[in-house]
Amino acid sequence: MCYFIKRRKVLNSLRNNFRVIENQINEVVPCCASILKNKDWKKIQNRYIDRFACIDHGNTIISSSAFIDIIIIASNKDPLAMAVIYHVKECVKKISLYVESHPQFKSAFQNILRNMIMSFDQDVCSTNNDFKNWISELSVFTYLCQSPHEIIAIEKSLGNGKSADFSCKISGSQEQYTFDVVTYQNI
């Protein structure tokens, strides 16, 4: 009985006080106010409530996480979660400066952030945390912004209905490399 009362309190809190989580996300990714609209926040809230509601009688071990989870855990002073949040904040800061002088990449940057915030697995037992893929892309984008290599394209079309995450010209040469970012999980 105690589990059901706690679960109901958490679900009610998510339904009625989601603005607290939204504010925490805005602190980590300040530009998300211009990226996410009210309907996006409502979708995130509903998906998060559905995700939490599917936990059955406390017997399910949650192995999947979402960016929102990391923010909540970091607010409770968990050092690993705080390190992830620090890394994301630094990436956002560095890329934001880069896109000021390279506005052609602004929408790609916003897309990565939007997907990072909105992506999470409905299956709480999933072993592939989708949001980590977007943090990896954010990390590589940050590296490329600070490297001597010239970014040519982000999400470059390959002409076969698929795209590659990044295309760059190698510094000091005419060579161009196009590649995808791969996130290995559960190794």
Side-chain angles (χ1 to χ4, degrees), residues 25 31-38 40-41 44 114 117-118:
I25 294 170
C31 57
C32 79
S34 64
I35 298 169
L36 298 173
K37 307 300 178 219
N38 284 335
D40 296 322
W41 287 113
I44 292 168
R114 184 176 193 280
I117 295 167
M118 294 190 72

Side-chain angles (χ1 to χ4, degrees), residues 47 51 54-55 60-66 69 119-133 183 185-187:
R47 288 182 65 205
R51 180 175 180 260
C54 80
I55 300 171
T60 302
I61 296 173
I62 302 172
S63 59
S64 172
S65 58
D69 295 330
S119 295
F120 55 88
D121 307 304
Q122 287 296 116
D123 177 7
V124 295
C125 297
S126 174
T127 57
N128 178 21
N129 299 282
D130 188 51
F131 80 97
K132 290 180 182 176
N133 299 320
T183 307
Q185 300 189 50
N186 302 315
I187 296 176

Side-chain angles (χ1 to χ4, degrees), residues 56-111:
D56 182 28
H57 305 291
N59 296 328
T60 302
I61 296 173
I62 302 172
S63 59
S64 172
S65 58
F67 187 64
I68 294 171
D69 295 330
I70 303 304
I71 289 175
I72 292 168
I73 293 167
S75 71
N76 290 309
K77 307 298 183 212
D78 178 87
L80 293 175
M82 290 172 69
V84 171
I85 296 306
Y86 176 80
H87 174 73
V88 169
K89 281 182 170 182
E90 287 298 304
C91 288
V92 169
K93 188 185 326 177
K94 290 172 184 174
I95 298 172
S96 293
L97 287 172
Y98 181 81
V99 298
E100 283 180 17
S101 58
H102 300 84
Q104 69 271 31
F105 300 120
K106 183 177 181 177
S107 66
F109 174 48
Q110 291 177 336
N111 187 50

Side-chain angles (χ1 to χ4, degrees), residues 87 91 95 112 134-144:
H87 174 73
C91 288
I95 298 172
I112 291 169
W134 298 104
I135 290 178
S136 295
E137 282 195 30
L138 192 69
S139 299
V140 170
F141 193 3
T142 302
Y143 169 78
L144 292 173

